[in-house]
């Protein structure tokens, strides 16, 4: 029976291998400190946090998230540890809540590895605090217990760490928040919760036996670059899109078909024959339309793959750790060195390790096979906005009458099975800009590619994405502007220019840079003023009410300090009023600006023109390999689609 704790109450723990689950209404930082018999944290090495997320017997998230899973093995903690304290803090940054009183009360559950709740605690009554000691696990007379604490700190993480006796509290708090900011920039935004919780899953085979995955699932923590994650279960009615209201009232650039009532349940596959796995079906998720169901299903597959691989990796780590502990205990006894006792102990420990890892791999293979089968039926059913350029759906392309829910901008995979690709879908309208990194990265693909070729591939990737955006929006509801100061991207831009899909030629030179930035900055200012004043009818007639995309090549060439400031302004303020930024740049080229541009890079979703494992999921934080969408060799599908878009735009002007 679950113990529902209140502040100060404790409860005995029936087992030593635990999972601590944290749920909050907005992203929080989760960490843990180890304390001695007096509760003192002896050094920074006794603190698990996003910048150093793993200690013996303890693993926490590598990024801020609304949901966390912390893995704890009390038997694996150092002998001097008598207390494990779980800490929560709000990440700092513009636009983020600065106190727990402004967000939903965090909920903490201590569970067994099978998910059975042992004790729970809801941290109510918080107000000005930005950091809080949630619970503590402590050892008393050889037995471990959990206590609900709920002690808040208005001065934040530094004050909380100092209260635990850490002299370097301020420096460590700053480094933790820096690691969190970097993690948030690299990771995808977690999708909103579905109305009914979990997505439908059809088992691909017999359920794993108890103990198949003997280690706790690692906590959700992004480490590489985050991808903007779509939201499973976000309902969507199918009413036609409404453009900006120019007859009065505020301009709303939110998705015109999004609503907030619960969608109908997903369609399910017909029952399988006895003893046979159920066959996957496309659209096996909640949603108001097939497109929305496919969108939610893809994000469900993304999460399932992340958690399945996390469980396997955690199981392998646990098996290795247990083998090391058993060998250390055996070999520390001098008697084990006589008569081959040590060799037998080593062989037994290795056999146990091998058995555990084998069972973990079998469980992973079952999950991978199920997801591969699901992917095989989902890919052919995808609409154009979710499909790769090689999908036959593009052969029947017609300019749409309404905006889709999301757009595919690439594929993701993990090393455990590289042929299992997850489409990377981002919500529309875009919620953050995109940075196509033209610099050399540490990936094998980048190392094998010359610098000039990387820059060319980066611009081709940007053109491909711009073409996809133009193709999925109705005619005249999306426009693309290009800044190419030195004219170095003329070859890559040819499909956009020759088709007539651009409203004007690419801007060149410092004058062209200043003119385009001034035009878009003016648009952002005017729309923001109209929204604040509730006077949409006061917008000038020459202002294009459609979404705008600015592609910037060769930054910072041709940019003065004023232009850099305007670019940062567009990156921060533009998305909320329909102006989006796509940078094609090598960060090293802008190193002269130093940390001034750090907020700009962090505000953009970074992608690469070649395969690179820099993106992180929002649940566990794996480093996912991203690959851009390329057109098939010899195909002219991109040019044909742009020709249809340009024709529709010309027809609309008549």
């Amino acid at each position: 029976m679950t113990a529902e704790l209140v502040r100060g109450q404790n409860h005995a723990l029936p087992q030593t291998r635990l999972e601590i689950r944290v749920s909050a209404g907005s992203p929080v930082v989760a960490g843990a400190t180890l304390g001695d018999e007096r509760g003192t944290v002896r050094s920074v090495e006794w603190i698990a946090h996003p910048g150093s997320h793993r200690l013996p017997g303890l693993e926490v998230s590598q990024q801020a998230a609304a949901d966390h899973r912390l893995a704890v093995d009390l038997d694996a903690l150092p002998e001097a540890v008598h207390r494990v304290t779980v800490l929560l803090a709000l990440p700092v940054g513009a636009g983020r809540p600065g106190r727990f009183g402004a967000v939903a009360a965090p909920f903490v559950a201590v569970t067994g590895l099978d998910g059975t709740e042992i004790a729970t605690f809801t941290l109510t009554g918080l107000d000005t605090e930005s950091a809080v000691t949630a619970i503590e696990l402590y050892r008393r007379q050889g037995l471990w217990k959990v206590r609900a604490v709920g002690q808040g700190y208005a001065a934040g993480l530094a004050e909380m760490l100092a209260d635990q006796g850490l002299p370097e509290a301020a420096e460590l708090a700053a480094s933790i928040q820096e690691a969190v900011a970097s993690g948030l920039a690299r990771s995808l935004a977690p999708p909103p919760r579905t109305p009914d919780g979990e997505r439908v899953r059809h088992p691909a085979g017999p359920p794993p036996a108890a103990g198949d995955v003997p280690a706790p699932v690692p906590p959700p923590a992004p480490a590489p670059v985050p991808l903007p994650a779509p939201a499973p279960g976000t309902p969507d009615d199918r009413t036609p899109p409404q453009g900006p209201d120019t007859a009065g009232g505020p301009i709303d650039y939110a998705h015109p078909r999004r609503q907030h009532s619960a969608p109908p349940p997903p369609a399910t596959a017909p029952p399988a024959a006895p003893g046979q796995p159920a066959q996957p079906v496309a659209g096996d998720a909640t949603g108001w339309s097939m497109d929305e169901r496919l969108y939610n299903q893809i994000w469900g597959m993304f999460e399932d793959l992340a958690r399945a691989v996390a469980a396997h990796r955690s199981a392998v780590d646990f098996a290795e750790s247990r083998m090391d502990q058993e060998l250390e205990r055996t070999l520390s006894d001098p008697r084990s060195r006589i008569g081959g006792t040590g060799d037998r102990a080593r062989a037994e420990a290795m056999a146990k390790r091998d058995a555990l890892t084998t069972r973990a791999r079998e469980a992973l293979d079952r999950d991978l096979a199920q997801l591969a089968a699901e992917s095989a039926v989902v890919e052919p059913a995808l609409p154009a906005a979710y499909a790769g350029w090689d999908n036959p759906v593009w052969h029947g392309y017609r300019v749409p009458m309404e905006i889709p829910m999301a757009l595919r901008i690439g594929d993701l995979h993990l090393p455990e099975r590289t042929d299992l690709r997850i489409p990377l879908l981002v919500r529309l309208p875009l919620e953050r800009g995109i940075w196509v990194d033209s610099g050399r990265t540490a990936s094998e693909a980048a190392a094998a590619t010359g610098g000039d070729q990387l820059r060319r591939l980066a611009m081709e990737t940007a053109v491909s994405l711009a073409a996809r955006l133009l193709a999925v929006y109705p005619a005249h509801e999306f426009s693309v502007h290009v800044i190419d100061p030195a004219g170095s991207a003329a070859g890559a831009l040819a499909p956009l220019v020759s088709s007539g899909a651009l409203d004007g030629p690419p801007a060149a030179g410092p004058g062209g840079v200043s003119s385009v930035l001034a035009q878009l900055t003016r648009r952002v200012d005017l729309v923001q003023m109209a929204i604040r004043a509730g006077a949409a009818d006061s917008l000038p007639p020459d202002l294009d009410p459609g979404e705008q995309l600015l592609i910037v090549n060769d930054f910072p060439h041709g940019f003065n300090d004023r232009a850099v400031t305007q670019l940062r302004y567009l990156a921060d303020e533009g998305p909320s009023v329909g102006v989006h930024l796509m940078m094609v740049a090598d960060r090293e080229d802008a190193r002269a600006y130093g940390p001034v541009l750090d907020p700009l890079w962090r505000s953009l979703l970074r992608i690469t023109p070649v395969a690179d494992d820099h993106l992180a999921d929002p649940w566990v934080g794996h480093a996912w390999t991203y690959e851009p969408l390329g057109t098939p060799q010899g195909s002219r599908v991109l040019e044909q689609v742009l020709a249809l878009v340009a024709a529709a735009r010309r027809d609309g002007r008549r």
Side-chain angles (χ1 to χ4, degrees):
M1 183 176 179
T2 303
E4 297 181 1
L5 305 181
V6 297
R7 277 184 177 83
Q9 188 177 2
N10 60 42
H11 183 72
L13 294 172
Q15 57 200 85
T16 56
R17 293 185 59 214
L18 307 164
E19 191 171 80
I20 299 173
R21 302 185 179 187
V22 178
S23 298
S26 62
V28 297
V29 182
T33 61
L34 305 180
D36 58 20
E37 63 277 2
R38 291 173 296 185
T40 302
V41 179
R42 295 184 178 179
S43 69
V44 293
E45 285 75 23
W46 275 27
I47 302 177
H49 57 82
S52 177
H53 71 286
R54 186 177 294 173
L55 298 176
L58 179 63
E59 188 174 357
V60 304
S61 301
Q62 294 174 261
Q63 72 179 23
D67 297 285
H68 293 268
R69 293 185 183 183
L70 285 64
V72 181
D73 185 352
L74 298 173
D75 290 337
L77 296 173
E79 285 294 328
V81 172
H82 288 253
R83 185 176 302 176
V84 179
T85 304
V86 176
L87 316 175
L88 304 178
L90 294 172
V92 298
R96 301 193 178 278
R99 58 190 186 91
F100 273 105
V103 301
F107 173 81
V108 180
V110 180
T111 75
L113 297 188
D114 60 356
T116 302
E117 290 185 347
I118 299 170
T120 63
F121 175 43
T122 302
L123 284 77
T124 57
L126 298 175
D127 187 10
T128 60
E129 300 88 345
S130 59
V132 61
T133 299
I135 63 170
E136 63 180 14
L137 314 179
Y138 64 97
R139 182 163 53 187
R140 182 70 53 80
Q141 297 178 347
L143 299 177
W144 283 94
K145 296 184 177 182
V146 56
R147 176 186 291 123
V149 182
Q151 173 64 51
Y153 296 85
L157 195 55
E159 181 186 12
M160 180 166 57
L161 294 173
D163 192 44
Q164 297 199 31
L166 191 70
E168 311 96 329
E171 294 82 358
L172 179 60
S175 69
I176 291 173
Q177 292 289 8
E178 176 66 21
V180 169
S182 298
L184 287 172
R186 290 192 308 267
S187 86
L188 299 168
R193 303 169 190 250
T194 59
D196 57 352
E198 302 294 330
R199 82 183 184 105
V200 176
R201 289 298 309 274
H202 298 301
D212 267 5
V213 183
V217 176
V225 184
L227 310 176
T234 306
D236 182 353
D237 66 7
R238 294 287 103 180
T239 56
Q242 303 297 321
D245 182 4
T246 56
I251 298 175
D252 183 8
Y253 282 91
H255 194 288
R257 299 182 309 283
R258 216 167 274 165
Q259 61 169 251
H260 301 286
S261 58
T268 57
Q276 296 296 318
Q279 296 301 310
V281 294
D284 189 8
T286 58
W288 288 97
S289 68
M290 188 60 174
D291 286 3
E292 186 177 1
R293 290 180 176 181
L294 287 166
Y295 168 82
N296 291 337
Q297 184 174 15
I298 288 170
W299 274 89
M301 292 165 59
F302 186 12
E303 180 176 5
D304 288 348
L305 181 55
R307 295 200 182 279
V309 170
H312 172 258
R313 293 180 181 179
S314 185
V316 171
D317 289 344
F318 170 76
E320 294 284 352
S321 175
R322 193 172 80 167
M323 181 185 72
D324 292 342
Q325 292 175 27
E326 290 178 355
L327 289 176
E328 184 179 357
R329 285 196 298 267
T330 300
L331 298 179
S332 64
D333 185 352
R335 291 173 296 179
S336 66
R337 303 169 191 166
I338 303 172
T341 304
D343 292 338
R344 288 194 298 272
R346 184 179 293 106
E348 290 174 0
M350 294 178 67
K352 290 180 182 178
R353 186 272 315 272
D354 292 343
L356 290 174
T357 55
T358 298
R359 291 202 298 271
R361 184 67 210 194
E362 290 172 352
L364 176 64
D365 287 342
R366 283 194 296 269
D367 288 337
L368 293 179
Q370 177 184 354
L371 287 167
E374 190 171 6
S375 177
V377 299
V378 167
E379 276 287 352
L382 296 178
Y386 303 174
W389 287 117
D390 57 349
N391 193 306
V393 71
W394 287 105
H395 297 310
Y397 169 77
R398 293 292 181 270
V399 176
M401 300 297 293
E402 57 183 28
I403 304 170
M405 173 175 284
L407 178 74
R408 185 174 184 167
I409 64 170
D411 290 333
L412 301 171
H413 68 265
L414 290 173
E416 279 76 4
R417 183 159 177 175
T418 57
D419 65 326
L420 180 53
R421 306 299 178 95
I422 301 294
L424 173 54
L425 303 181
V426 295
R427 300 287 290 209
L428 293 181
L430 293 173
E431 296 169 348
R432 64 192 290 197
I434 295 175
W435 165 28
V436 185
D437 191 350
S438 60
R440 188 175 298 281
T441 65
S443 71
E444 293 182 8
T449 308
D452 291 342
Q453 187 180 2
L454 274 175
R455 285 188 285 274
R456 177 180 61 80
L457 292 174
M459 197 61 200
E460 288 177 356
T461 300
V463 169
S464 174
L465 291 177
R468 294 179 68 85
L469 283 163
L470 284 166
V472 302
Y473 271 80
H476 301 296
E477 291 195 22
F478 196 89
S479 298
V480 177
H481 310 265
V482 178
I483 290 178
D484 185 22
S488 60
L493 288 168
L496 287 175
V497 175
S498 62
S499 67
L502 295 178
D503 281 356
V513 171
S514 299
S515 175
V516 173
L517 290 177
Q519 172 190 345
L520 293 178
T521 301
R522 170 179 173 268
R523 184 190 186 283
V524 171
D525 289 339
L526 290 175
V527 174
Q528 284 186 335
M529 287 189 291
I531 290 174
R532 286 194 292 266
D537 55 347
S538 65
L539 290 170
D542 64 334
L543 188 140
D544 181 359
E547 302 275 324
Q548 311 286 312
L549 175 70
L550 172 62
I551 301 176
V552 177
N553 184 42
D554 270 354
F555 176 82
H557 182 77
F559 281 73
N560 56 26
D561 289 346
R562 175 178 173 79
V564 170
T565 300
Q566 289 176 316
L567 195 68
R568 289 186 54 186
Y569 176 73
L570 292 177
D572 292 340
E573 304 295 333
S576 64
V577 291
V579 177
H580 312 286
L581 182 62
M582 185 182 295
M583 298 272 291
V584 182
D586 180 356
R587 189 169 181 172
E588 281 300 304
D589 293 342
R591 63 184 179 277
Y593 287 94
V596 172
L597 290 180
D598 285 352
L600 172 64
W601 303 119
R602 288 178 179 172
S603 70
L604 305 174
L605 170 62
R606 175 177 169 254
I607 61 175
T608 51
V610 295
D612 189 89
D613 61 350
H614 65 284
L615 293 175
D617 64 81
W619 306 284
V620 181
H622 295 314
W624 292 74
T625 297
Y626 166 84
E627 291 191 34
L629 296 173
T631 56
Q633 187 71 25
S635 171
R636 294 189 55 81
V637 61
L638 187 145
E639 290 81 359
Q640 292 166 358
V641 167
L642 285 175
L644 291 172
V645 170
R649 292 165 67 87
R650 288 193 299 269
D651 292 343
R653 296 192 186 103
R654 293 173 184 169

